[in-house]
Amino acid sequence: MDEHKSPIRYGVIGTGMMGVEHIRNVAAVDGAIVTAVADPHPESIKRARRAVGTDVLLEEFSDHNEMLDSGLVDAVVIASPNHTHHQILLDVIAHPVHILMEKPLCATLGHCRDAVEAVTRSGHERVVWMGLEYRYMAPTQCLLAELATGAVGDVKMVAIREHRFPFLTKVDNWNRFSRNTGGTLVEKTCHFFDLMLQITQARPVRVFATGGQSVNHLDERYDGKTPDILDNAYVVVDFDDDSRGMLDLCMFAEASVNEQEIVVTGDVGKMEAMVTESKLRIGKRADGQHVVNTHEIRHEGIKHVGLHHGSSYLEHVDFVAAIRSGSPPAVTLMDGLRSAAIGFAAHRSIDSGLPVLMSELSELDGFDW
Ligand SMILES: NC(=O)c1ccc[n+]([C@@H]2O[C@H](COP(=O)([O-])OP(=O)(O)OC[C@H]3O[C@@H](n4cnc5c(N)ncnc54)[C@H](O)[C@@H]3O)[C@@H](O)[C@H]2O)c1
């Protein structure tokens, strides 16, 4: 792979909503180009073609293995449905390409572990990057940067609220069933468990969750079956440094100002990132009650805003920079496993009605995660 002079040639596997989002973002990144796409669904290939533009050369494949064998790509984005991630990743690592793996890592915890181990064994020198781009939302980035300066002191509590619209319709409706997605608390909220891990820098010990499918998709039928995906939950996570996290998820809450609100409280102060409003609020206890500074957050460097407030663009800029410099990924497959593991534990807690110790996750026995 000679990445130092010529553009990084991307291949995108799965060109549905997120694959096309990646294609549009890559088009805005200096020194990167999408040269090939692979998707078995002809309509998705057409969407990719429209996103790239008719005047740009693009090889189209119905099978990702043919794309990998073509030698046309230096890096691949895996943006296919969650239950296909494990096998596709195993196929991809047999080739000397860099990888940007969409979240969640896999749809079962056993597959997550197997994926991390297989990539470690594969031996190729490459960048393998986990697509957890909520870290790149501008207000969240500012919050993480302020935290690193000790703005709130020692973090004690992290409360994350996501109140939003229901899951969108997907190709073949794969996201309507937990067996395909891993469950809502894996598929959707691995992003927020990743943020909790980033913010606390601690190990999760215990997870307690309650949740249900109360409003959405109850009147839908696929092959006679009703979707089984949760649309609301509270999840509490205890960390090993006595800090704790709480997730408040509601997916029938279009009537919200912010889609995400991230509140971090330490022994010195409190910060709140409001993602839709793009604001960061910071206050110190020593300054007294109701004394809070509000900052409007603008990231001047974003060249494509897309569907995720510019975070996917920033993710690709860093991915390409890591490929060019040979530096390690900022977001690793292990981050993918850890964030998904909390989601799997939360689902088990909902099923049993009891707290779940992370040490009880037998799929991770003997694995240093
Ligand atoms: N990071 C984020 O914020 C974010 C947002 C949305 C989706 N995603 C992730 O992106 C992935 C795709 O989701 P989506 O919303 O684009 O779904 P989608 O249904 O819109 O697109 C999935 C595409 O994958 C194709 N596909 C199915 N099997 C395939 C295979 N074996 N090889 C290649 N392509 C295959 C489908 O034909 C379809 O075109 C999922 O893992 C999802 O969790 C991430």
Side-chain angles (χ1 to χ4, degrees):
M1 282 181 268
D2 180 9
E3 296 103 5
H4 297 284
K5 299 190 180 73
S6 34
I8 308 288
R9 301 169 307 159
Y10 274 72
V12 178
I13 300 177
T15 56
M17 192 214 84
M18 198 58 200
V20 167
E21 165 81 342
H22 282 293
I23 288 170
R24 295 212 161 96
N25 276 284
V26 172
V29 174
D30 290 336
I33 181 171
V34 177
T35 49
V37 290
D39 197 304
H41 186 58
E43 278 307 310
S44 296
I45 292 280
K46 281 189 199 156
R47 281 175 75 178
R49 162 57 66 194
R50 283 196 295 273
V52 168
T54 43
D55 51 336
V56 175
L57 272 181
L58 180 76
E59 289 295 328
E60 300 166 3
F61 298 90
S62 56
D63 182 325
H64 62 276
N65 283 307
E66 286 171 20
M67 183 187 88
L68 293 163
D69 289 339
S70 72
L72 285 171
V73 300
D74 308 310
V76 298
V77 175
I78 301 176
S80 54
N82 302 354
H83 58 296
T84 67
H85 285 186
H86 178 249
Q87 185 56 51
I88 290 178
L89 183 62
L90 295 186
D91 294 339
V92 169
I93 60 176
H95 298 77
V97 292
H98 304 285
I99 303 167
L100 195 156
M101 179 81 220
E102 256 308 335
K103 66 82 204 159
L105 176 51
C106 295
T108 71
L109 187 52
H111 277 168
C112 288
R113 174 181 179 164
D114 189 61
V116 172
E117 290 180 325
V119 169
T120 309
R121 273 197 314 271
S122 77
H124 288 298
E125 254 188 50
R126 60 166 129 231
V127 176
V128 184
W129 193 286
M130 191 69 222
L132 285 164
E133 88 280 6
Y134 280 36
R135 287 192 198 185
Y136 284 89
M137 301 281 187
T140 309
Q141 276 202 317
C142 288
L143 180 143
L144 292 170
E146 288 288 342
L147 263 185
T149 70
V152 301
D154 277 343
V155 172
K156 302 297 180 191
M157 300 176 78
V158 185
I160 301 182
R161 166 177 290 167
E162 179 166 69
H163 279 197
R164 54 162 272 178
F165 49 93
F167 279 118
L168 299 171
T169 304
K170 299 290 167 187
V171 175
D172 291 335
N173 302 297
W174 65 269
N175 68 344
R176 292 308 197 245
F177 294 95
S178 297
R179 66 174 184 278
N180 298 332
T181 66
T184 301
L185 301 176
V186 176
E187 149 66 7
K188 176 81 267 270
T189 67
C190 60
H191 281 300
F192 304 119
F193 300 131
D194 177 60
L195 290 180
M196 285 184 193
L197 292 165
Q198 284 297 297
I199 290 166
T200 61
Q201 294 286 314
R203 281 185 75 86
V205 175
R206 183 175 32 231
V207 175
F208 178 65
T210 170
Q213 183 185 6
S214 305
V215 174
N216 297 342
H217 317 303
L218 292 167
D219 55 353
E220 300 173 13
R221 297 288 178 278
Y222 303 97
D223 294 329
K225 297 196 178 69
T226 309
D228 65 355
I229 46 175
L230 302 191
D231 57 20
N232 69 103
Y234 292 120
V235 182
V236 174
V237 185
D238 284 335
F239 292 92
D240 66 351
D241 63 351
D242 199 35
S243 62
R244 60 205 94 254
M246 191 195 73
L247 174 77
D248 164 0
L249 175 73
C250 180
M251 299 191 67
F252 42 90
E254 291 89 341
S256 303
V257 173
N258 283 290
E259 208 167 295
Q260 292 133 34
E261 299 176 355
I262 302 159
V263 184
V264 183
T265 316
D267 52 357
V268 169
K270 172 175 165 179
M271 263 194 289
E272 293 173 276
M274 306 295 179
V275 169
T276 308
E277 288 178 295
S278 211
K279 285 183 180 157
L280 185 70
R281 298 200 183 109
I282 313 184
K284 300 245 189 267
R285 296 175 67 201
D287 294 335
Q289 275 188 302
H290 312 305
V291 181
V292 176
N293 292 311
T294 302
H295 306 270
E296 305 276 341
I297 309 297
R298 296 281 166 261
H299 195 305
E300 302 303 334
I302 293 172
K303 289 197 194 158
H304 182 77
V305 173
L307 303 174
H308 295 95
H309 306 277
S311 58
S312 299
Y313 170 79
L314 296 172
E315 177 182 60
H316 278 287
V317 168
D318 278 8
F319 178 57
V320 166
I323 292 173
R324 292 208 180 279
S325 65
S327 45
V331 194
T332 65
L333 280 203
M334 195 63 105
D335 292 324
L337 178 143
R338 291 187 185 115
S339 57
I342 298 177
F344 287 116
H347 277 292
R348 287 178 202 184
S349 174
I350 291 172
D351 292 345
S352 67
L354 296 169
V356 169
L357 294 173
M358 296 303 284
S359 58
E360 289 171 358
L361 300 176
S362 57
E363 294 91 335
L364 300 180
D365 279 351
F367 184 55
D368 182 15
W369 62 281

